[in-house]
């Protein structure tokens, strides 16, 4: 159901790979709420993806951009404004990738060239995106920028590997850039810390099935789905959250504030018997 929360607003959505992607669900919800946008992803992802279907469904154009390339980002921001007919109101950064995770390298045995690639894609790309928007003065006043993160930035989940460090970096960039974007342009910047979600990036983490089942049992409201994340993002893009900024916001069914749940305790006690 739509509430027209984003009527007249224009944006850029990064990171829709397939219909499981959090960015895909977000694009669908933003469209339902009356927002218009361009879709973008890395050129290589578009060759294997099905982004055209989403573009057709939402009446959007696609502009390929590697989010680690300033040249690509400059082209994206210029073209997005041409296509949408003005400055940008909302941006979703929904990008994450660790080469160490992909290639099964343990946290204590990192290949540092891969580590650098991972933080460039997963964290510094957020800075590069915002710096490009900032320098080009491409954001409208009271615009909203959202990045997606995971609680491994605060607490250890051993198999999350160097993505934990990348997420800590991402969250810090959101705070730091949020200050400057707020001061200069009245633009807000937040990260949403999302429950484990069955997507391509999520399922790349070793032991993901255990991860998601544990979180489900720990969270009083159960895991937040990709659709829940899309809904939350819509509120952050809307004018209802104008002075929420520089925050890391948990969309996790209560997981982050739960020490232990009865269900998890029961399973543990059964194990001991
Ligand atoms: P996904 O695999 O559908 O999306 C990741 C996207 O990053 C893909 O579209 C991929 O093409 C894009 N990407 C990778 N390298 C890129 C580059 N150089 N330039 C531009 N785009 C690039 O997976 P998902 O889960 O929807 O991921 C979205 C965000 O949500 C990520 O930041 C992820 O870390 C975060 N997140 C995911 C959780 C999960 O359990 N799935 C939990 C918490 C956060």
């Amino acid at each position: 159901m739509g509430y027209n929360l984003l009527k007249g607003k224009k944006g850029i959505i990064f990171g829709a790979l397939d219909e499981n992607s959090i960015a895909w669900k977000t694009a669908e919800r933003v469209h339902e709420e009356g927002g218009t946008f361009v879709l973008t992803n890395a050129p290589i992802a578009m060759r294997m993806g099905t982004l055209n279907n989403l573009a057709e469904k939402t009446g959007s154009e696609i502009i390929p951009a590697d989010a680690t390339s300033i040249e690509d980002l400059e082209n994206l921001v210029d073209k997005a404004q041409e296509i949408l007919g003005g400055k940008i109101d909302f941006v979703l950064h929904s990008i994450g990738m660790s080469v160490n995770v992909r290639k099964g390298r343990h946290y204590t045995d990192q290949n540092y060239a891969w580590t650098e690639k991972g933080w460039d894609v997963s964290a510094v790309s957020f800075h590069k995106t915002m710096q490009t928007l900032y320098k080009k003065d491409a954001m409208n006043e009271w615009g909203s920028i959202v990045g997606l993160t995971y609680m491994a930035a605060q607490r250890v989940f051993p198999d999350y590997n160097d993505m934990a460090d990348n997420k800590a970096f991402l969250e810090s960039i959101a705070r730091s850039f949020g200050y400057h974007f707020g001061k200069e342009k009245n633009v807000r910047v937040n990260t949403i810390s999302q429950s484990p979600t069955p997507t391509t990036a999520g399922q790349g983490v070793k032991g993901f099935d255990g991860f998601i089942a544990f979180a489900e049992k720990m969270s009083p409201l159960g895991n937040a789905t990709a659709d829940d994340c899309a809904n939350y993002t819509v509120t952050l893009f809307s004018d209802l959250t104008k002075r929420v900024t520089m925050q890391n916001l948990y969309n996790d069914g209560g997981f982050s504030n739960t020490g232990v749940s009865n269900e998890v305790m029961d399973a543990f006690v059964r194990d001991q018997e």
Side-chain angles (χ1 to χ4, degrees):
M1 188 175 72
Y3 305 90
N4 270 334
L5 282 175
L6 304 179
K7 196 159 178 234
K9 293 197 187 292
K10 304 183 276 290
I12 302 176
I13 297 182
F14 288 79
L17 181 66
D18 57 35
E19 57 189 20
N20 297 319
S21 299
I22 297 170
W24 188 290
K25 307 281 189 205
T26 308
E28 290 178 333
R29 279 297 288 127
V30 168
H31 178 62
E32 274 173 31
E33 292 298 336
T36 54
F37 47 84
V38 297
L39 294 164
T40 182
N41 209 325
I44 188 160
M46 266 166 340
R47 279 202 290 279
M48 42 191 228
T50 51
L51 197 55
N52 279 329
N53 299 343
L54 181 63
E56 267 171 40
K57 200 173 163 184
T58 58
S60 312
E61 288 198 37
I62 301 170
I63 306 171
D66 175 345
T68 63
S69 156
I70 297 291
E71 199 186 331
D72 283 11
L73 289 170
E74 285 180 344
N75 177 59
L76 168 67
V77 169
D78 290 344
K79 288 235 171 84
Q81 290 182 93
E82 268 168 48
I83 291 166
L84 299 168
K87 290 193 192 190
I88 306 300
D89 299 293
F90 61 85
V91 176
L92 175 66
H93 177 284
S94 183
I95 298 173
M97 194 276 302
S98 154
V99 191
N100 286 304
V101 167
R102 272 205 186 164
K103 306 217 177 197
R105 285 292 279 259
H106 194 262
Y107 186 76
T108 56
D109 180 34
Q110 292 186 39
N111 171 325
Y112 290 115
W114 296 348
T115 308
E116 281 184 32
K117 176 77 185 162
W119 84 53
D120 196 17
V121 170
S122 308
V124 182
S125 66
F126 197 35
H127 194 285
K128 288 176 175 173
T129 300
M130 288 195 277
Q131 185 166 299
T132 305
L133 290 159
Y134 186 89
K135 284 191 173 171
K136 287 186 176 290
D137 194 19
M139 291 295 294
N140 270 323
E141 289 232 331
W142 302 109
S144 173
I145 300 173
V146 171
L148 297 182
T149 186
Y150 181 57
M151 215 191 59
Q154 285 77 35
R155 299 191 193 169
V156 174
F157 294 81
D159 289 332
Y160 206 67
N161 210 318
D162 60 334
M163 273 307 286
D165 305 327
N166 296 338
K167 289 305 193 192
F169 195 174
L170 179 88
E171 291 174 18
S172 180
I173 288 170
R175 275 188 298 276
S176 301
F177 223 119
Y179 175 84
H180 297 286
F181 239 140
K183 270 282 187 205
E184 294 300 318
K185 321 255 185 203
N186 284 335
V187 168
R188 60 201 187 276
V189 182
N190 295 288
T191 47
I192 296 179
S193 187
Q194 166 70 7
S195 294
T197 313
T199 62
T200 305
Q203 276 158 336
V205 179
K206 194 172 140 216
F208 181 78
D209 291 347
F211 227 45
I212 194 167
F214 174 71
E216 175 72 21
K217 292 242 181 296
M218 277 283 281
S219 313
L221 298 180
N223 286 331
T225 63
D227 285 317
D228 292 327
C229 191
N231 282 327
Y232 196 13
T233 303
V234 163
T235 67
L236 290 176
F237 288 166
S238 82
D239 291 333
L240 299 176
T241 52
K242 267 174 119 168
R243 285 193 176 77
V244 179
T245 194
M246 299 158 69
Q247 301 297 319
N248 181 40
L249 303 161
Y250 290 97
N251 185 48
D252 68 353
F255 179 87
S256 48
N257 270 344
T258 304
V260 74
S261 67
N262 293 122
E263 286 88 338
V264 168
M265 200 117 75
D266 288 349
F268 179 74
V269 169
R270 265 201 312 276
D271 264 9
Q272 305 299 301
E273 284 168 1

